[in-house]
Amino acid sequence: MDQQWGDGTRLQHVGEEVKHCGAVNPPIFQNSLFVFDDLDVFLSRDRKPDGPGFSYSRLGNPSLTIVEKKIAALERTDKAKVFGSGMAAISAALLACVEQGSHVLAVDMCYGPTQGFLNEYLNRFGVTVSYVSGVDTDELLAAIRPETTVLYLESPSSLIFRMQDFRTITAECRRRGITTITDNSYSGGIHQKPATMGVDVVVHSATKYLAGHSDLVAGVVAGSEQFIDRLTEREINWLGGLIMPMGAWLLMRGMRTLKLRMRHAEEQGNALAQFLTAQSWVERVHHVGLDDFPQRDLRDSQMSGCSSLLSFEPKDQDADKLRRFIEALQIFQLGVSWGGFESLAVPLEISPMGWDGPRRLVRLYAGLEEMEDLTADLTQAAAQAW
Ligand SMILES: *Cc1c(COP(=O)(O)O)cnc(C)c1O
């Protein structure tokens, strides 16, 4: 790969240097097993799972290697591994960083099942966890304990889009030997490169923007050669949370258009946020791309763009009216995920650290439908509710 290549070029060509029968798309290596015709090669085979000697698909498969090389190239890391889901990736990355007695510091708005894994699973093995909002860097650094081994970030988070100051935080964590992990799903890996700002390990729910078509569940861990090799030898080998070759191929196919889709997502997100800001029934819009985004300086220093995931707080917090609004939507479908072709809405009641109390909000994801149709849908639903 040419280091000068931009993301669009990397996504098309990295990992596909070898053409099979001249096929412009690589075949799907639908294999559990790779056999050897030479005993000496078998005995001496490179045990590195993603090395040239593929032996067994739990440890490495060419369909996975292709997409892993693209993800590492996208995230500016040495290596990456692809998993059967975002949670398989996140749990493996966290397990790689803790032992009995370890403390994990995490941001309170990180993905719910990630918190579940930290609170209700790792605690069974003597790992403690505590949370900070992540907005105040001094407060975050002050919450680090002598036994902290990993700092788990999600910037921006996916409900109210809080960011953390990667450069300051990771410099301090490096000094103290603490591994930093961030969930980078929001940015699709296009608009933010955490590894270039010192983050050790980048995870994604590839189900979202990376795959991009609501037809696949997948996850990603990207990091240094040392971290990924160790992860492959241990968590991948022993826990086996990998993706099937067909899934890896679909992820590769989805990622061909990632750059284009993220550029469009930014346009959609900004247009939708501007529309919402002007509506009488909206109290507050949470969107990374807004001019008055509370952390705009940090955003401008860490991100090159935003996406089409946002949320708003309705002025009228009445639960029944909110229900009427959600039920009246015709194009926006009721669903929790995002990053695919279809627009989605989900009502939430949350109480993040630093808020006075719980607030109801609606998270919206703008898909690939026409923006005029989406805003018309919101207008007619709001007229029925408020
Ligand atoms: C969906 C999601 C995950 C989990 O990913 P799965 O692929 O569903 O396992 C993790 N983090 C964020 C921010 C997500 O939105």
Side-chain angles (χ1 to χ4, degrees):
M1 178 184 68
D2 186 330
Q3 291 302 325
Q4 303 301 312
W5 281 359
D7 287 338
T9 312
R10 291 174 186 229
L11 289 166
Q12 309 320 319
H13 298 297
V14 171
E16 296 181 65
E17 295 77 9
V18 177
K19 293 277 184 276
H20 302 269
C21 303
V24 73
N25 269 309
I28 305 168
F29 288 85
Q30 194 68 39
N31 290 277
S32 60
L33 184 64
F34 300 84
V35 292
F36 297 77
D37 47 15
D38 183 316
L39 180 61
D40 290 329
V41 175
F42 176 77
L43 293 173
S44 68
R45 71 190 186 273
D46 185 351
R47 286 215 162 251
K48 270 194 169 172
D50 60 349
F54 292 107
S55 58
Y56 187 61
S57 282
R58 191 176 76 253
L59 300 173
N61 173 294
S63 292
L64 276 63
T65 302
I66 291 167
V67 77
E68 287 164 352
K69 287 184 174 166
K70 288 188 198 296
I71 288 160
L74 178 71
E75 284 292 357
R76 314 294 192 261
T77 57
D78 298 339
K79 283 193 169 184
K81 282 309 277 187
V82 61
F83 288 75
S85 71
M87 281 313 299
I90 290 166
S91 56
L94 280 166
L95 282 167
C97 299
V98 294
E99 57 187 24
Q100 200 169 48
S102 297
H103 169 251
V104 181
L105 183 62
V107 290
D108 79 312
M109 288 311 290
C110 73
Y111 186 64
T114 303
Q115 295 188 38
F117 179 67
L118 291 168
N119 299 342
E120 294 173 40
Y121 203 92
L122 284 185
N123 71 337
R124 289 165 43 195
F125 306 98
V127 175
T128 57
V129 56
S130 63
Y131 293 93
V132 285
S133 80
V135 174
D136 181 333
T137 303
D138 292 335
E139 180 197 69
L140 181 149
L141 294 176
I144 292 175
R145 302 178 189 170
E147 64 275 21
T148 306
T149 57
V150 54
L151 178 58
Y152 189 86
L153 307 171
E154 188 173 312
S155 179
S157 59
S158 66
L159 300 180
I160 53 168
F161 312 102
R162 280 180 173 163
M163 297 184 62
Q164 299 98 54
D165 181 344
F166 285 143
R167 291 185 182 88
T168 309
I169 292 168
T170 60
E172 184 61 18
C173 286
R174 284 256 152 118
R175 210 178 58 72
R176 301 203 204 177
I178 296 166
T179 305
T180 49
I181 304 178
T182 194
D183 187 325
N184 196 26
S185 304
Y186 170 92
S187 82
I190 295 288
H191 292 318
Q192 176 169 271
K193 311 287 185 189
T196 66
M197 293 177 272
V199 176
D200 298 311
V201 180
V202 180
V203 295
H204 278 268
S205 169
T207 312
K208 313 294 165 55
Y209 278 124
L210 294 188
H213 294 76
S214 299
D215 55 6
L216 176 68
V217 175
V220 163
V221 178
S224 67
E225 180 165 10
Q226 193 192 11
F227 186 87
I228 298 295
D229 283 351
R230 202 178 125 91
L231 194 76
T232 309
E233 280 162 24
R234 301 168 69 93
E235 282 74 20
I236 297 212
N237 191 14
W238 297 340
L239 303 176
L242 84 171
I243 192 170
M244 292 292 107
M246 176 76 190
W249 191 93
L250 277 173
L251 177 55
M252 177 208 75
R253 206 270 289 268
M255 285 171 59
R256 295 231 188 268
T257 55
L258 180 62
K259 176 86 185 273
L260 278 176
R261 288 188 286 104
M262 292 314 297
R263 197 180 294 156
H264 185 63
E266 173 163 37
E267 264 173 43
Q268 295 278 85
N270 284 335
L272 187 57
Q274 263 147 32
F275 165 81
L276 289 167
T277 304
Q279 304 310 305
S280 59
W281 36 274
V282 171
E283 174 79 33
R284 183 150 69 129
V285 180
H286 301 278
H287 174 58
V288 173
L290 283 174
D291 288 340
D292 62 354
F293 180 65
Q295 295 174 287
R296 60 188 168 278
D297 292 343
L298 187 59
R299 171 198 65 196
D300 294 343
S301 79
Q302 294 192 167
M303 303 190 71
S304 58
C306 62
S307 74
S308 62
L309 189 68
L310 52 87
S311 64
F312 74 89
E313 295 170 37
K315 226 167 234 163
D316 187 334
Q317 287 274 305
D318 181 75
D320 291 335
K321 289 184 188 163
L322 179 54
R323 184 187 179 94
R324 222 173 299 152
F325 171 77
I326 295 289
E327 288 178 344
L329 290 167
Q330 288 173 355
I331 300 175
F332 282 91
Q333 300 174 88
L334 176 57
V336 290
S337 191
W338 45 275
F341 58 90
E342 76 287 16
S343 290
L344 297 165
V346 59
L348 300 157
E349 188 172 345
I350 58 167
S351 186
M353 281 181 168
W355 283 20
D356 291 340
R359 296 277 298 163
R360 294 202 170 89
L361 50 78
V362 179
R363 190 182 66 185
L364 295 176
Y365 167 71
L368 303 180
E369 300 94 339
E370 303 293 340
M371 189 46 62
E372 306 89 86
D373 299 330
L374 294 177
T375 55
D377 192 27
L378 294 170
T379 301
Q380 65 79 24
Q384 295 187 49
W386 300 303

